[in-house]
């Protein structure tokens, strides 16, 4: 019987909530993705296997979040586990994605009082707005996918655009 604290599903993407999130991420043309977790005041952003162009763009977004929050940018050897929504988004869109650990607390569960204080004091609310501004500055990538004359998504890489179109 699975425990409710850490149950990830019986198989990858077996749970309805996971399937819904995965479909949602690929339905809309998000320019970046940030997920908030609760412990450590750190930013996990290093996704090295998607190439230097992706890494440079992702690092730009991570630097924006770091300057706003003063949180620590984590080195790649500080997190080996994969399978989170951040990685799914990055692997399927090649757009900036990161996890921001929001509170200074390492207690589990994180005390509720920690959230609001850190949300306001560290300007966590402003990260999506800053990402939107950076995405506007960058603009669209060169390779665009249309289905039935409707824009679907832009891609940094032509081969990825073709693979996505064939799906």
């Amino acid at each position: 019987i699975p425990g409710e604290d850490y149950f990830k599903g019986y198989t990858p993407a077996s749970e309805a909530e996971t399937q819904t999130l995965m479909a949602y991420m690929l339905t809309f043309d998000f320019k970046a993705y940030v997920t908030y977790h609760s412990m450590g005041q750190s930013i996990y952003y290093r996704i090295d296997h998607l190439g230097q162009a992706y890494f440079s763009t992702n690092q730009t977004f991570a630097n924006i979040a770091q300057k706003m929050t003063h949180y620590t940018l984590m080195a790649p050897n500080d997190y080996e586990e994969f399978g989170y929504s951040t990685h799914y988004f990055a692997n399927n869109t090649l757009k900036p994605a990161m996890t921001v650990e929001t509170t200074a607390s390492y207690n589990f569960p994180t005390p509720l009082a920690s959230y609001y204080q850190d949300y306001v004091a560290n300007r966590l609310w402003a990260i999506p707005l800053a990402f939107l501004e950076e995405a506007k500055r960058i603009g669209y990538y060169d390779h665009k996918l249309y289905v039935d004359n409707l824009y679907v998504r832009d891609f940094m890489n032509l081969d990825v655009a073709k693979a996505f179109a064939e799906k």
Side-chain angles (χ1 to χ4, degrees), residues 22-163:
M22 291 166 67
Y24 188 79
M25 287 178 180
L26 298 182
T27 299
F28 300 98
D29 185 27
F30 296 105
K31 296 298 176 194
Y33 180 77
V34 61
T35 180
Y36 293 101
H37 292 206
S38 61
M39 294 184 219
Q41 293 187 332
S42 52
I43 300 168
Y44 294 92
Y45 74 99
R46 291 196 64 127
I47 301 173
D48 296 335
H49 66 279
L50 296 177
Q52 186 57 43
Y54 174 83
F55 178 76
S56 294
T57 301
N58 210 39
Q59 187 163 31
T60 297
F61 279 76
N63 288 338
I64 290 168
Q66 194 280 326
K67 285 177 186 171
M68 294 174 70
T69 62
H70 304 287
Y71 288 0
T72 302
L73 294 176
M74 301 305 288
N77 62 351
D78 290 337
Y79 52 103
E80 297 295 326
E81 192 170 334
F82 284 87
Y84 294 113
S85 61
T86 305
H87 299 100
Y88 180 81
F89 180 86
N91 288 332
N92 284 279
T93 68
L94 294 179
K95 297 197 178 165
M98 66 200 60
T99 299
V100 177
E101 294 285 353
T102 61
T103 70
S105 173
Y106 285 95
N107 296 327
F108 184 78
T110 302
L112 290 177
S114 299
Y115 290 104
Y116 182 75
Q117 176 184 344
D118 287 326
Y119 186 76
V120 172
N122 298 318
R123 301 186 59 221
L124 298 170
W125 56 270
I127 291 173
L129 300 173
F131 282 9
L132 178 60
E133 288 303 313
E134 180 63 14
K136 285 179 183 178
R137 188 191 70 73
I138 291 172
Y140 287 94
Y141 295 128
D142 293 337
H143 310 287
K144 295 162 187 67
L145 174 64
Y146 292 84
V147 175
D148 298 327
N149 293 323
L150 295 174
Y151 172 80
V152 176
R153 168 169 290 122
D154 60 321
F155 295 89
M156 192 183 308
N157 178 296
L158 180 59
D159 292 330
V160 174
K162 287 179 180 178

